[in-house]
C-alpha cells in the first residue's frame, strides 16, 4: 500500500539539470519528512538532502551539493522534488527517495520507507 515512486533520472552533460520526483501514496504525506539518498558503484549510500514535515520548511544538504540542489515538497500532489543544477560527473549515482515519520525535522538516516531509485548519469 505504501509507495514511493521515484522518477526523473536520465543522462545529461556536465552543467546540465534534472528534476527528480518522488510521488508518495499510502500514508499521510504531511506527517513525514523526506530524504534523497544516492549510491554510486563501490561507494556507500549517502544522504544528499532532507526536508521537514512542517509547513515552515526546513531543508538540509550535504556539502557537496549545496548551492546546486534544491529539495521541495508539494502538499497538493503528495510529491517531493529534488532540483539538480550544475550537475557534475561525481553526481552520477542511483538516487533514492525515502520517508520518515517525524514531528518536524529528522536529521538521521533510519527512514521508514524507501523508493526503488532512479539513475542519474552525468557525462563530461
Amino acid at each position: 500500500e505504501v509507495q514511493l515512486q521515484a522518477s526523473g533520472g536520465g543522462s545529461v552533460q556536465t552543467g546540465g539539470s534534472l528534476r527528480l520526483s518522488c510521488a508518495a501514496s499510502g500514508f499521510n504525506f504531511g506527517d513525514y519528512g523526506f530524504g534523497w539518498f544516492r549510491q554510486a558503484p563501490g561507494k556507500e549510500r549517502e544522504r544528499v538532502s532532507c526536508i521537514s514535515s512542517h509547513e515552515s520548511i526546513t531543508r538540509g544538504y550535504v556539502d557537496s551539493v549545496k548551492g546546486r540542489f534544491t529539495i521541495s515538497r508539494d502538499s497538493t500532489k503528495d510529491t517531493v522534488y529534488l532540483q539538480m543544477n550544475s550537475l557534475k560527473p561525481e553526481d552520477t549515482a542511483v538516487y533514492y527517495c525515502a520517508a520518515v515519520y517525524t514531528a518536524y525535522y529528522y536529521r538521521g538516516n533510519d527512514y521508514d520507507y524507501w523508493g526503488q531509485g532512479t539513475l542519474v548519469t552525468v557525462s563530461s
Side-chain angles (χ1 to χ4, degrees):
E1 183 173 276
V2 172
Q3 289 188 327
L4 295 175
Q5 300 183 49
S7 61
S11 182
V12 298
Q13 294 183 351
T14 297
S17 297
L18 287 171
R19 188 179 72 164
L20 306 184
S21 299
C22 176
S25 61
F27 59 94
N28 189 348
F29 184 77
D31 289 338
Y32 285 75
F34 288 81
W36 284 98
F37 294 74
R38 67 186 181 188
Q39 188 166 28
K43 296 184 178 179
E44 295 184 353
R45 187 166 59 194
E46 173 188 42
R47 190 179 71 239
V48 177
S49 183
C50 57
I51 191 166
S52 66
S53 61
H54 199 273
E55 290 296 325
S56 182
I57 301 297
T58 299
R59 300 177 176 91
Y61 303 92
V62 68
D63 286 344
S64 61
V65 309
K66 287 181 179 177
R68 300 189 297 120
F69 291 10
T70 302
I71 189 171
S72 61
R73 58 189 293 159
D74 187 342
S75 61
T76 68
K77 300 179 179 179
D78 287 0
T79 299
V80 176
Y81 303 96
L82 185 68
Q83 179 67 46
M84 305 186 295
N85 299 325
S86 302
L87 283 162
K88 305 174 181 179
E90 50 263 45
D91 296 318
T92 296
V94 176
Y95 283 72
Y96 298 90
C97 175
V100 60
Y101 185 83
T102 179
Y104 177 57
Y105 186 63
Y106 183 65
R107 293 176 171 85
N109 295 309
D110 190 16
Y111 279 66
D112 297 318
Y113 305 122
W114 293 83
Q116 83 286 1
T118 184
L119 177 63
V120 171
T121 302
V122 185
S123 60
S124 60

